[in-house]
């Protein structure tokens, strides 16, 4: 049996075939965050009235996963991430326990040998992430196999290009750029910048803040995220200073993406195989869904003198689930190859 799980800094997503109908693939997603509330009668009653599940931790109530967004009105304190700066937190015991609970909830029960293809959040402590996440998967009955997020996007969206091209995944804490040929990754790079950097800079520069009852002040990142995905906001047609700031911040990230594509195309690993072949670019991740993303990236590719190497540039369908769907495809392809070789 094959399943897939994508441990993202924004959300953790899983995919597997339904036991009742093998043609149907089930997709599940949980937010990778938690909110801590005071353990008071008022808060307990509010959670009960709204049918919100929670855990207790010392003198606090902990609401995590998708439910964390449901209690924003109960606390002005921002939700805490399960992955700190793109890495599994070493000292945050509640976060580590919540990761275990969510992994168990997102993976189906297995009573035979099962393989779970997974990707981690792509932080700087990649070895620590791999060790912890693979152990979680193994604890819940699956054999973990680490996959490539960049190659997964090509497998999930590149059939019309014979699974050959460039993938760009703009995540919360990092951005992954990869080049593949016939479904085999030739080159990749992870940039330690993503949409969270954009959101923090925008909130800081425009003083978008919220205050907790204690008087502590926080950047209102949720307000930033709600605003930038409003249909009226567009990276290439800014109507006010906040929109111009958003465009400048995106241009910084997109410039680094274009530079990485140029350097990878010129590397021996890629050039010796593709020999100047023109390629399509598939973009994924929630940050790619903002209006004007493709024209903005096109401008940066022209600026770095590599637009002539590109045939098409697009945001893939279901950009936020593309990685986990590609991991599922990779797993089933490897299982089919092993079966035929047996």
């Amino acid at each position: 049996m094959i399943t897939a799980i994508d441990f993202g800094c924004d959300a953790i997503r899983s995919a597997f075939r339904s036991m009742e109908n093998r043609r149907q693939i089930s997709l599940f997603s949980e937010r990778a965050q938690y909110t801590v509330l005071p353990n008071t009668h008022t808060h307990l009653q509010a959670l009960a009235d709204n049918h919100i599940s929670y855990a207790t931790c010392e003198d606090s109530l902990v609401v995590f996963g998708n439910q964390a967004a449901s209690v924003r009105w109960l606390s002005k304190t921002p939700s805490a991430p399960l992955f700190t700066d793109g890495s599994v937190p070493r000292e945050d015991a509640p976060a580590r326990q919540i990761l275990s609970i969510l992994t168990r909830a997102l993976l189906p029960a297995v009573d035979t040998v099962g393989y779970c293809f997974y990707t981690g959040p792509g932080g700087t402590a990649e070895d620590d992430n791999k060790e912890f996440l693979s152990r979680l998967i193994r604890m819940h009955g699956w054999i973990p196999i680490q996959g490539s997020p960049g190659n997964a996007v090509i497998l999930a969206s590149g059939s019309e290009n014979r699974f050959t091209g460039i993938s760009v995944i703009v995540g919360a804490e990092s951005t992954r750029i990869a080049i593949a040929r016939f479904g085999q990754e030739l080159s990749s790079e992870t940039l330690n910048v993503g949409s969270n950097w954009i959101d923090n800079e925008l909130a800081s520069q425009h003083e978008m803040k919220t205050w907790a009852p204690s008087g502590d002040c926080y950047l209102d990142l949720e307000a930033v995220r709600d605003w930038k995905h409003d249909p009226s906001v567009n990276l290439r047609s800014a109507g006010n200073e906040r929109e111009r700031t958003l465009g400048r911040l995106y241009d910084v990230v997109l410039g680094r993406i274009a530079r990485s594509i140029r350097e990878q195309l010129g590397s021996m690993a890629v050039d010796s195989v593709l020999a100047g072949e023109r390629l399509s670019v598939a973009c994924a991740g929630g940050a790619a869904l903002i209006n004007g993303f493709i024209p903005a990236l096109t401008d940066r590719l022209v600026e770095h003198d590599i637009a002539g190497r590109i045939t098409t540039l697009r945001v893939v369908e279901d950009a936020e689930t593309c990685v986990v769907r590609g991991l599922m495809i990779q797993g089933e392809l490897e299982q089919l190859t092993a079966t035929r070789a047996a």
Side-chain angles (χ1 to χ4, degrees):
M1 186 175 179
I2 300 295
T3 191
I5 187 165
D6 172 26
F7 291 96
C9 290
D10 179 62
I12 304 171
R13 299 179 175 90
S14 68
F16 51 87
R17 290 197 179 275
S18 168
M19 298 300 294
E20 292 75 24
N21 181 0
R22 301 300 293 171
R23 292 188 174 185
Q24 178 181 335
I25 294 180
S26 300
L27 292 170
F28 293 93
S29 176
E30 287 283 349
R31 296 284 295 271
Q33 59 184 225
Y34 68 96
T35 298
V36 178
L37 302 171
N39 191 350
T40 68
H41 174 75
T42 301
H43 286 86
L44 285 168
Q45 189 63 51
L47 294 176
D49 290 346
N50 289 277
H51 307 288
I52 297 172
S53 58
Y54 62 90
T56 56
C57 181
E58 297 179 350
D59 296 327
S60 302
L61 307 173
V62 181
V63 181
F64 54 87
N66 293 338
Q67 299 276 32
S70 303
V71 296
R72 194 186 304 176
W73 60 279
L74 281 173
S75 173
K76 292 294 185 179
T77 303
S79 296
L82 293 178
F83 297 105
T84 305
D85 298 326
S87 300
V88 174
R90 290 176 175 270
E91 308 299 329
D92 191 341
R96 294 168 76 91
Q97 183 63 32
I98 291 169
L99 282 169
S100 179
I101 293 171
L102 291 180
T103 301
R104 181 179 60 196
L106 288 168
L107 292 177
V110 61
D111 55 6
T112 182
V113 176
Y115 297 91
C116 179
F117 286 74
Y118 78 98
T119 59
T124 54
E126 189 169 339
D127 289 341
D128 290 344
N129 288 345
K130 179 179 179 180
E131 179 183 356
F132 180 80
L133 297 176
S134 62
R135 186 165 66 246
L136 280 187
I137 293 168
R138 195 173 287 109
M139 280 172 52
H140 299 302
W142 294 84
I143 299 172
I145 300 176
Q146 189 174 33
S148 161
N151 204 46
V153 169
I154 295 294
L155 289 173
S157 65
S159 59
E160 62 188 36
N161 298 306
R162 298 181 300 170
F163 305 105
T164 298
I166 303 168
S167 63
V168 175
I169 310 167
V170 187
E173 290 289 346
S174 63
T175 298
R176 177 89 170 196
I177 305 100
I179 301 177
R181 180 175 184 266
F182 300 146
Q184 297 296 315
E185 190 170 276
L186 301 175
S187 174
S188 69
E189 182 180 10
T190 300
L191 307 177
N192 292 319
V193 64
S195 62
N196 282 353
W197 175 79
I198 295 173
D199 298 343
N200 275 278
E201 285 293 317
L202 185 68
S204 178
Q205 292 182 34
H206 289 271
E207 298 188 342
M208 300 175 70
K209 300 175 181 179
T210 184
W211 281 263
S214 63
D216 293 327
C217 180
Y218 301 92
L219 295 177
D220 196 350
L221 300 180
E222 291 296 337
V224 171
R225 290 158 188 160
D226 290 342
W227 168 79
K228 74 179 185 181
H229 287 288
D230 187 285
S232 66
V233 176
N234 192 300
L235 293 178
R236 310 321 289 166
S237 57
N240 54 50
E241 186 56 35
R242 185 192 292 180
E243 292 178 8
R244 283 189 284 273
T245 301
L246 180 66
R248 288 193 295 268
L249 293 171
Y250 258 88
D251 279 347
V252 171
V253 177
L254 296 178
R256 293 187 62 181
I257 291 171
R259 186 183 306 115
S260 175
I261 292 174
R262 184 188 64 195
E263 292 173 352
Q264 289 187 60
L265 286 173
S267 68
M268 180 67 71
V270 173
D271 192 54
S272 62
V273 175
L274 295 175
E277 180 179 344
R278 299 180 70 205
L279 302 171
S280 64
V281 179
C283 302
L289 296 174
I290 189 169
N291 289 331
F293 181 87
I294 292 301
L297 180 53
T298 300
D299 288 347
R300 301 288 74 76
L301 295 175
V302 171
E303 183 180 87
H304 285 77
D305 198 28
I306 53 172
R309 293 291 308 274
I310 307 302
T311 56
T312 59
L313 183 61
R314 64 190 174 92
V315 176
V316 301
E317 186 177 355
D318 296 326
E320 295 178 301
T321 66
C322 192
V323 170
V324 75
R325 290 185 287 111
L327 290 172
M328 187 76 185
I329 294 169
Q330 180 188 352
E332 295 195 336
L333 286 174
E334 292 195 11
Q335 184 183 51
L336 179 63
T337 300
T339 301
R340 288 175 174 175

